[in-house]
């Protein structure tokens, strides 16, 4: 069944998009956000941060009876509603997934939403209808990559970029921003920026996610497979859209322990960038504004060697 | 009400179902997950694509099979605690069984008794809060 319509019909300022940052973008992944803001500004858009946003819940509850886990996302949707807007854009893939699935969950059954609204009696009711988007969708579908290409000031000729999608941008299929088994949105972006996209068979496979806390050995094994595959194909850098993927891909590359198979040994660690950092870099945003200094594996040598700084 | 998108057979009318002999925990798993474990025909695509099988004692398809058989050994399996809800199985199941939801239900049977699947000795330094929140939400009561 169709969800409720938000009473406010469409966005008031088409180039000003309500934006949900999430915790990591204010901490470990500051460069992800800074670069996104700078890039969007160059493209004529503004990311308008939600006032009083709260944690999205990080992981979507997979149980059928856990309404409580949807309260946090819905509270954020009320903030969007108060702005008089309908769209909500995220950068973090985990936030995207959790918010988007919750939006779908409450709009699929009015009774769920009624109970959540009744529980949050200190808030105005959420009327439904907020559309959760990932920035890659805005770039691809609204701004278009052709438009992005026209604004490139520092083409990334010669740079080999391996996009890593992980899980939350693609699965489940209903919320995926691209084909869950053969996505291409990041490859297209990379190529419009002038770089060469390096395809890898492990680009949609999980990095270990939060198991990095409970079973770090398994996460390490995952990362060695993923990075090993990108390295064998000559990638200079890997790009992601998720702070947890980035943490795992960096952290487990730098560990002391050797891979379980010789083919997985990489000769030097491969830098991991957020796609917004690569985008902003290509759009000519000064390097000092991109948060490269926070990366565990410095991407600057690879970038300056290939692109010529 | 449980949403059922792909599987056309409602839980209670599945021909393979033997209601009288069905143990309570299987019913609970189905209720919590909203999934019909009897829809699985053991093709093994979930196990073939699961990136976490190296840490599992039962493959995802075996977890489902033991549930179909009402075999209690599934309750003490390590596999649901190694599953990272990455949904690789979910997008590939030809029968529309969301195996990640079944894994979550198996965890919840334990967690809702107040037991934990995660004990902290020390929090590794530098771990982002999304890892900590994710792990505690999935693996602790």
């Amino acid at each position: 069944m169709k969800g409720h319509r938000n009473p406010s019909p469409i966005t008031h300022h088409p180039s000003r998009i309500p934006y949900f940052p999430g915790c990591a973008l204010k901490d470990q992944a500051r460069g992800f956000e800074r670069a996104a803001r700078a890039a969007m500004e160059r493209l004529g858009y503004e990311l308008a941060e939600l006032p009083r946003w709260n944690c999205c819940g990080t992981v979507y509850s997979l149980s059928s009876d856990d309404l409580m886990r949807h309260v946090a996302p819905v509270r954020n949707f009320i903030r969007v509603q108060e702005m008089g807007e309908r769209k909500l854009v995220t950068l973090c893939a985990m936030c995207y997934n959790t918010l988007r699935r919750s939006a779908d969950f409450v709009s699929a059954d009015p009774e769920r939403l009624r109970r959540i609204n009744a529980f949050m009696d200190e808030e105005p009711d959420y009327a439904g209808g907020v559309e959760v988007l990932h920035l890659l969708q805005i770039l691809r579908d609204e701004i278009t990559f052709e438009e992005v290409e026209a604004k490139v000031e520092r083409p990334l000729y010669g740079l080999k970029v391996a996009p890593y999608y992980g899980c939350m941008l693609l699965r489940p299929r209903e919320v995926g921003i691209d084909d869950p088994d053969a996505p291409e949105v990041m490859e297209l972006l990379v190529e419009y920026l002038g770089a060469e996209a390096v395809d890898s068979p492990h680009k949609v496979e999980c990095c270990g996610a939060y198991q990095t806390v409970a079973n770090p050995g398994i996460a390490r094994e995952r990362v060695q497979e993923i990075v090993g595959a990108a390295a064998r194909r000559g990638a200079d850098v890997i790009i992601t859209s998720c702070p947890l993927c980035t943490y795992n891909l960096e952290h487990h590359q730098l560990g002391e322990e050797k891979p379980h198979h010789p083919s997985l040994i990489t000769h030097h660690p491969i830098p991991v960038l957020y796609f917004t950092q690569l985008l902003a870099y290509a759009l000519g945003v000064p390097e000092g504004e991109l948060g490269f200094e926070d990366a565990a594996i410095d991407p600057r040598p690879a970038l300056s060697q290939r692109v010529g700084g | 009400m449980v949403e059922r998108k792909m599987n056309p057979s409602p839980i209670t009318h599945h021909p393979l179902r033997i209601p009288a002999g069905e143990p309570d925990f299987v019913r609970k798993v189905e209720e919590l997950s909203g999934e019909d474990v009897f829809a699985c025909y053991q093709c093994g695509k979930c196990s073939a694509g699961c990136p976490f099988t190296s840490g599992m004692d039962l493959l995802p398809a075996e977890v489902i099979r033991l549930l179909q058989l009402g075999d209690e050994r599934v309750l003490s399996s390590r596999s649901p605690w190694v599953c990272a809800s990455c949904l690789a199985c979910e997008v590939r199941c030809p029968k529309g069984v969301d195996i990640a939801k079944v894994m979550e239900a198996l965890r919840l049977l334990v967690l809702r008794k107040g037991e934990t699947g995660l004990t902290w000795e020390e929090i590794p330094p530098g771990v982002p809060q999304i890892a900590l929140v994710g792990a505690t939400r999935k693996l602790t009561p």
Side-chain angles (χ1 to χ4, degrees):
Chain A
M1 96 160 236
K2 267 215 143 45
H4 299 269
R5 291 275 168 205
N6 187 317
S8 36
I10 35 166
T11 187
H12 293 307
H13 313 280
S15 61
R16 189 169 179 268
I17 310 171
Y19 157 62
F20 177 84
C23 60
L25 281 92
K26 301 295 179 186
D27 194 354
Q28 303 89 0
R30 281 187 296 262
F32 193 4
E33 177 180 77
R34 283 182 73 188
R37 284 186 184 282
M40 289 301 276
E41 200 185 309
R42 296 209 167 209
L43 294 167
Y45 283 76
E46 185 199 339
L47 295 177
E49 186 168 325
L50 287 195
R52 295 192 297 132
W53 57 268
N54 53 260
C55 174
C56 66
T58 311
V59 283
Y60 180 75
S61 168
L62 295 172
S63 82
S64 61
D65 63 352
D66 217 348
L67 277 185
M68 195 54 125
R69 292 282 172 101
H70 300 276
V71 169
V74 168
R75 211 183 281 280
N76 288 310
F77 302 153
I78 294 171
R79 301 285 90 83
V80 181
Q81 201 172 265
E82 285 170 345
M83 289 169 86
E85 301 280 355
R86 276 193 62 186
K87 278 186 187 163
L88 178 61
V89 70
T90 66
L91 299 176
C92 168
M94 292 184 84
C95 297
Y96 165 73
N97 193 281
T98 307
L99 292 172
R100 170 72 203 274
R101 292 193 80 180
S102 267
D104 290 355
F105 180 85
V106 298
S107 70
D109 180 356
E111 174 58 16
R112 292 171 183 161
L113 189 53
R114 195 195 61 74
R115 289 177 63 183
I116 291 172
N117 278 332
F119 174 77
M120 292 196 291
D121 55 2
E122 82 290 13
E123 297 271 16
D125 280 359
Y126 171 52
V130 167
E131 187 187 5
V132 180
L133 295 163
H134 189 267
L135 186 67
L136 282 167
Q137 290 173 296
I138 302 272
L139 289 166
R140 179 190 60 192
D141 305 332
E142 199 169 312
I143 299 173
T144 74
F145 289 151
E146 286 79 6
E147 192 60 34
V148 172
E149 186 186 30
K151 300 254 167 67
V152 168
E153 287 182 12
R154 196 191 272 151
L156 307 176
Y157 300 138
L159 187 72
K160 291 188 171 184
V161 181
Y164 174 69
Y165 291 86
C167 315
M168 296 295 134
L169 283 183
L170 303 173
R171 300 187 287 267
R173 196 180 297 271
E174 307 86 79
V175 310
I177 68 164
D178 206 342
D179 185 301
D181 284 313
E184 57 174 23
V185 54
M186 283 204 269
E187 280 81 351
L188 287 172
L189 174 65
V190 159
E191 297 202 336
Y192 274 102
L193 300 179
E196 183 186 331
V198 176
D199 195 23
S200 152
H202 296 292
K203 68 183 181 184
V204 302
E205 273 191 6
C206 182
C207 67
Y210 53 82
Q211 290 290 3
T212 200
V213 178
N215 294 293
I218 294 178
R220 191 181 313 116
E221 209 178 284
R222 298 298 322 131
V223 169
Q224 286 164 351
E225 294 273 358
I226 293 160
V227 176
R232 282 196 302 283
R233 286 159 180 80
D236 299 312
V237 297
I238 295 173
I239 54 167
T240 75
S241 74
C242 173
L244 184 48
C245 295
T246 296
Y247 170 78
N248 280 340
L249 291 182
E250 287 184 332
H251 177 77
H252 293 296
Q253 269 195 85
L254 297 174
E256 290 291 302
E257 286 174 57
K258 291 280 166 277
H260 60 95
H261 192 274
S263 72
L264 300 176
I265 294 171
T266 50
H267 295 292
H268 55 87
I270 299 186
V272 184
L273 290 172
Y274 294 105
F275 74 93
T276 59
Q277 290 176 303
L278 201 65
L279 169 67
Y281 184 75
L283 294 177
V285 177
E287 210 178 276
E289 294 171 27
L290 299 178
F292 287 157
E293 63 282 1
D294 292 339
I297 304 160
D298 193 343
R300 285 168 288 195
L303 289 174
S304 58
Q305 200 186 332
R306 293 290 182 194
V307 189
Chain B
M1 262 304 285
V2 167
E3 245 186 295
R4 306 180 58 78
K5 288 208 174 100
M6 294 172 74
N7 192 323
S9 42
I11 288 179
T12 43
H13 297 114
H14 203 283
L16 275 181
R17 170 155 302 253
I18 312 161
E22 185 181 284
D24 205 33
F25 74 88
V26 180
R27 227 169 0 98
K28 278 190 189 148
V29 165
E30 289 200 327
E31 208 176 285
L32 284 169
S33 66
E35 296 300 306
D36 178 3
V37 297
F38 293 88
C40 165
Y41 53 23
Q42 291 288 301
C43 72
K45 278 185 90 166
C46 52
S47 307
C50 175
F52 294 94
T53 50
S54 71
M56 291 182 172
D57 52 356
L58 291 174
L59 296 172
E62 290 175 330
V63 167
I64 304 290
R65 186 64 182 140
L66 289 194
L67 282 168
Q68 290 175 336
L69 296 171
D71 190 323
E72 284 185 18
R73 280 177 300 179
V74 73
L75 297 174
S76 51
S77 169
R78 177 178 151 75
S79 301
W81 306 94
V82 176
C83 165
S85 310
C86 82
L87 308 183
C89 50
E90 191 267 355
V91 291
R92 290 172 189 158
C93 177
K95 294 290 284 174
V97 180
D98 190 337
I99 296 140
K101 286 188 176 170
V102 175
M103 294 290 195
E104 179 122 321
L106 285 165
R107 286 191 296 270
L108 287 173
L109 285 185
V110 174
L111 299 176
R112 289 191 180 175
K113 288 182 186 141
E115 290 169 47
T116 183
L118 179 66
T119 42
W120 304 97
E121 278 162 24
E122 65 179 284
I123 296 171
V127 171
Q129 55 271 58
I130 38 179
L132 301 175
V133 176
T136 45
R137 287 204 130 185
K138 289 291 183 189
L139 306 172
T140 67

